Amino acid sequence: FYAQIVKQYITSTSNNNSQGNSTIVKAALKELDEGTHEGGTKYWQWYGFNGRVEWCAIFVSYNAEKAGVKMERFAYCPTGIENFKAKNQWLEKGNLPKSGNIIFFDWDGDFVSDHVGIVEKVENEVIFTIEGNSGDKIAKLSYEKNSPYIMGYGTY
């Protein structure tokens, strides 16, 4: 339902040479090197689900754990935001995140996050991400810093 809206603000990136400087980015890039993991089975099964669920947050949690990042697991985007805010690890939209920050989105404008990814890098106020469950696969995407769909960032 949001594909047309998102396409206005997203540019797919196919360049795989840029490495982020954080361990979670390296973990996510390693997952992408294995393939796009269409369907996300590896991730939602790792989390403990017996059937397919929306897996963007699980992808973030999986990579955080693999990278040894101290972050609470979450499978629901609003829970992730609550976790970061409770620890004063929240960066409001409009700020420039750093590589490895967790980026939260609100596609339908209801002030409830419905997607999350990992910031790979920031160049010229463009935020490059690695996201699970983007079109039901892992994808590298980019957004303008002032995209209306960005809610903010989890830091750690």
Side-chain angles (χ1 to χ4, degrees), residues 2 19-20 39 48 70-71 75 97-98 113 118 127 131 133 145:
Y2 59 82
Q19 296 292 316
K70 300 292 182 211
M71 180 191 315
K98 291 183 171 34
S113 178
I118 299 166
I127 301 161
E131 302 169 30
N133 200 27
K145 174 186 103 170

Side-chain angles (χ1 to χ4, degrees), residues 47 54 57-58 74-83 104 112-113 116:
Y47 201 89
E54 298 300 324
I58 295 169
F74 63 101
Y76 180 56
C77 297
T79 301
I81 292 174
E82 289 172 19
N83 293 347
F104 289 87
V112 177
S113 178
V116 64

Side-chain angles (χ1 to χ4, degrees), residues 44-70:
W44 51 258
Q45 284 182 343
W46 166 85
Y47 201 89
F49 289 103
N50 294 323
R52 190 202 179 283
V53 295
E54 298 300 324
W55 52 278
C56 58
I58 295 169
F59 177 77
V60 169
S61 294
Y62 176 91
N63 283 291
E65 188 167 298
K66 293 299 175 197
V69 171
K70 300 292 182 211

Side-chain angles (χ1 to χ4, degrees), residues 19-32 46 56-74 84 98-103 116-121 129-131 138 154-156:
Q19 296 292 316
N21 62 7
S22 82
T23 55
I24 193 170
V25 170
K26 289 179 180 143
L29 288 170
K30 183 178 177 200
E31 292 300 309
L32 188 56
W46 166 85
C56 58
I58 295 169
F59 177 77
V60 169
S61 294
Y62 176 91
N63 283 291
E65 188 167 298
K66 293 299 175 197
V69 171
K70 300 292 182 211
M71 180 191 315
E72 288 182 56
R73 281 186 180 189
F74 63 101
F84 286 114
K98 291 183 171 34
S99 176
N101 286 170
I102 309 305
I103 183 170
V116 64
I118 299 166
V119 174
E120 178 186 12
K121 62 183 177 177
T129 64
I130 306 165
E131 302 169 30
I138 302 172
T155 64
Y156 49 88

Side-chain angles (χ1 to χ4, degrees), residues 11-48:
T11 310
S12 181
T13 57
S14 58
N15 181 350
N16 278 348
N17 333 349
S18 51
Q19 296 292 316
N21 62 7
S22 82
T23 55
I24 193 170
V25 170
K26 289 179 180 143
L29 288 170
K30 183 178 177 200
E31 292 300 309
L32 188 56
D33 284 346
E34 290 178 5
T36 60
H37 291 281
E38 193 158 341
T41 306
K42 171 182 181 176
Y43 307 107
W44 51 258
Q45 284 182 343
W46 166 85
Y47 201 89

